């Protein structure tokens, strides 16, 4: 094995990415230097935040340069180690990028528990699960008896948001695309109600459905989505409600800035309902990651936390799986198995 | 004196109110019942929130009914009392409405310190001053060395926001309409910089001026205004900035909901900057009012807190003064002296 493969950013997408925005490249197998570790990637994570990294705009993290490897977290086995901390065969995770192999410094890798499926480190016990846990703990002020609404509810963040909130005594309402996902939300993730946003053409119709599912109003809205779901939910917020802005996937593929201007109405809702809107990015919270793992790893191991994965096969299929995910084609956490 | 006068809501305004939306009525002098007090109003407060009460929409407080007296706080002298707590001649304040005289229950009145000008109970030591104090304490998390931006900065809320923030070591930037108000903001209220929004046609131009005045970015934006100032300031917010949404006077007179839709860009700023946006209404904070008075009354008495009042003469001139205030015609706290 003298070659490695990687997916690079071939050009910047206009709106929704297309396959031609990516390139599959081969290169010589990298050699780890002093204190470095060579990892053979077995599982790669695909996440919505990567869409933002493809744009050349100033954001909370650097964008991927043209011709550079697409960023992302992977899980794999150590092939060669020049660090005392790691030995050949260790199961590890780190920011490998969309690559078959990666050389990382020992400090950039974390050893994984062999007792759990390796891919859990990318989803339920990785960044998405941690995002849900940290965001709810830091910003949502959950109280038993309250009602929570979350979109993309069978995804790895939404499904964890729902399960944590449910465990704390909230009424949980899932918004998902299609009857199959709604059934999963109820049956697998335990949501009290699930609403198919595709069955509602506009915010008004979706709002009527949420109103029926949330007879006491909405206290916590976890924002994964933006767009129609935000417009539907906001007028249902109770006084002193909380909104955690974690993602706006409905707006990722380029935003139609035609009218009407929704901002005045949203600002008015924030004012009259005394809402608290908190933007969150998980990178602010890594100090709490050990506490998250300590709390949630046993629950996942015992099957008390459900999770779903969609697995695409082969690095070469990562772009198509990524594009499908941005269009809502996945059901659970999107993984690429190499 | 057997008659009283009041201003009632004659019809609901379309956008900016006009004089015909109000009516001046005469009525028999009311007689206080058991436990009630008759007050002769000497000073009446005009506040932007009253515009919202003129609309027949569900909000945080009931709207004024057609033909009903306009709501509002007044200061006056007790003319007759059927309560042990009050004696003729006492200086008091309460929700008198836009009236020459009002009968209130003893529990709805508060006695005032005769050592201070009566009108201070409506502004610097009343709801506006308290709004600034409570909002900053509850939501703004002020830290010395940070930068604060506030619009309507010579108004009774904005000027107190600036003075409190300045006293806590922040760099304070006033946005006000016209060079006279800007000079007042700097010279009377101690803002570090003042920007005339009328000199800037669009948000981009205003943003350039704020950028110059805030070389380290903006940590706290006190939202009195909405519209152009919000669009100008939001991109300048620092990571983990705080926005206190207290009013949106730019949008009070009816909102043009033409495009573009600013919401996606605002939501993205909230996300990537991890902003905290808190809606506030002072009615949630009354429990802290004694603490506010205890802290700020001595400062006002010693002249450590500056305040400005615009005084209109005569109840019949209240509508015109109110309309002028909504259009930015006032400089300080708008009072009507009866």
């Amino acid at each position: 094995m003298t070659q490695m493969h990687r997916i690079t950013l071939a050009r910047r997408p206009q709106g929704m990415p297309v396959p031609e925005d990516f390139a599959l490249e081969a290169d010589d197998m990298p050699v780890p230097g002093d204190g470095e570790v060579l990892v053979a990637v077995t599982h790669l994570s695909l996440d919505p935040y990567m869409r933002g990294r493809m744009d050349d705009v100033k954001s909370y993290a650097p964008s991927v340069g043209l011709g550079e490897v697409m960023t992302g977290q992977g899980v794999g086995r150590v092939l060669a180690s020049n660090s005392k901390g790691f030995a050949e065969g260790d199961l590890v995770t780190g920011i490998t990028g969309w690559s078959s192999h990666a050389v990382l410094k020992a400090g950039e890798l974390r050893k994984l528990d062999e007792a759990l499926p390796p891919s859990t480190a990318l989803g339920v016990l990785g960044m998405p699960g941690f995002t849900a846990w940290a965001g709810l703990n830091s910003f949502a002020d959950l109280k038993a008896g309250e009602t929570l609404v979350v979109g993309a509810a069978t995804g790895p963040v939404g499904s964890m948001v729902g399960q944590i909130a449910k465990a704390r005594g909230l009424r949980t309402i899932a918004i998902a695309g299609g009857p199959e996902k709604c059934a999963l939300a109820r049956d697998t993730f335990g949501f009290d109600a699930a609403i198919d946003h595709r069955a509602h053409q506009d915010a008004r119709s979706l709002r009527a459905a949420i109103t029926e599912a949330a007879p006491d109003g909405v206290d916590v809205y976890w924002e994964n989505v933006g767009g129609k779901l935000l417009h539907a939910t906001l007028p249902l917020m109770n006084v002193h409600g909380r909104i955690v802005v974690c993602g706006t996937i409905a707006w990722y593929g380029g935003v139609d800035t035609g009218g009407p201007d929704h901002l005045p109405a949203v600002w008015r809702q924030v004012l009259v309902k005394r809402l608290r809107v908190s933007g969150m990015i998980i990178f602010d919270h890594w100090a709490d990651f050990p506490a998250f793992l300590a709390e949630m790893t046993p629950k996942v191991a015992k099957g008390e936390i459900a999770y779903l994965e969609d697995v695409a096969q082969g690095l070469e299929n990562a772009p198509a799986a990524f594009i499908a995910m941005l269009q809502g084609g996945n059901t659970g956490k999107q993984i690429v198995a190499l």
Side-chain angles (χ1 to χ4, degrees), chain A:
Chain A
M1 210 164 43
T2 59
Q3 280 221 311
M4 60 86 74
H5 293 89
R6 61 178 165 243
I7 307 271
T8 59
L9 179 63
R11 66 178 187 193
R12 303 215 176 270
Q14 302 296 313
M16 187 61 65
V18 295
E20 293 72 24
D21 297 331
F22 304 88
L24 176 64
E25 295 182 357
D27 203 349
D28 291 342
M29 182 67 67
V31 177
D34 195 39
E36 292 185 333
V37 177
L38 173 63
V39 179
V41 177
T42 58
H43 299 83
L44 175 65
S45 178
L46 297 181
D47 300 279
Y49 78 84
M50 296 167 175
R51 173 63 190 85
R53 303 290 180 85
M54 299 175 79
D55 291 332
D56 186 22
V57 294
K58 189 170 173 261
S59 186
Y60 54 90
S63 47
V64 176
L66 285 176
E68 288 181 8
V69 64
M70 285 287 297
T71 191
Q73 187 186 353
V75 164
R77 294 278 174 191
V78 172
L79 273 190
S81 173
N82 288 328
S83 160
K84 283 185 203 148
F86 294 91
E88 197 183 322
D90 277 354
L91 185 66
V92 294
T93 188
I95 305 301
T96 59
W98 296 19
S99 287
S100 66
H101 299 78
V103 164
L104 289 105
K105 292 182 184 135
E108 298 170 337
L109 286 170
R110 180 168 61 88
K111 265 193 233 185
L112 294 177
D113 185 345
E114 296 272 353
L116 287 164
S119 59
T120 56
L122 303 177
V124 64
L125 292 174
M127 195 179 69
F130 179 47
T131 298
W133 183 90
L136 290 177
N137 284 344
S138 301
F139 304 115
D141 196 15
L142 300 179
K143 297 185 196 77
E146 291 189 332
T147 298
L148 173 142
V149 168
V150 60
T154 64
V157 176
S159 60
M160 186 69 113
V161 165
Q163 291 180 89
I164 292 172
K166 180 76 184 167
R168 301 216 189 141
L170 281 82
R171 177 170 175 79
T172 54
I173 299 172
I175 316 295
E180 293 78 9
K181 287 186 185 177
C182 286
L184 273 171
R186 280 185 298 259
D187 301 341
T188 301
F189 296 121
F191 280 91
D192 292 299
I195 295 165
D196 177 7
H197 65 79
R198 292 186 187 155
H200 300 280
Q201 273 301 94
D202 58 20
R204 180 185 294 258
S205 165
L206 183 55
R207 187 179 307 143
I210 300 173
T211 303
E212 199 172 324
D216 298 327
V218 178
D219 301 288
V220 179
Y221 172 53
W222 181 284
E223 177 67 289
N224 275 333
V225 176
K228 183 174 70 175
L229 180 54
L230 172 58
H231 302 314
T233 306
L234 200 63
L236 306 179
M237 295 296 293
N238 289 328
V239 165
H240 296 134
R242 285 82 66 199
I243 297 177
V244 184
V245 182
C246 176
T248 56
I249 195 168
W251 288 323
Y252 277 6
V255 172
D256 174 8
T257 53
D261 184 3
H262 290 99
L263 182 59
V266 167
W267 232 229
R268 180 167 172 78
Q269 288 288 326
V270 168
L271 174 64
V272 302
K273 304 280 185 64
R274 295 88 103 187
L275 305 180
R276 187 179 65 202
V277 183
S278 302
M280 83 161 289
I281 289 183
I282 195 58
F283 307 147
D284 292 336
H285 300 266
W286 285 122
D288 295 326
F289 191 64
F292 161 73
L293 284 183
E295 179 181 335
M296 302 308 282
T297 304
K299 291 184 198 289
V300 172
K302 287 182 214 160
E304 294 170 12
I305 297 283
Y307 63 96
L308 277 178
E309 295 175 350
D310 287 12
V311 183
Q313 298 294 334
L315 182 64
E316 67 279 14
N317 291 315
F322 179 66
I323 294 165
M325 180 190 73
L326 290 179
Q327 293 170 334
N330 63 319
T331 301
K333 166 65 196 165
Q334 185 66 54
I335 302 278
V336 181
L338 272 64

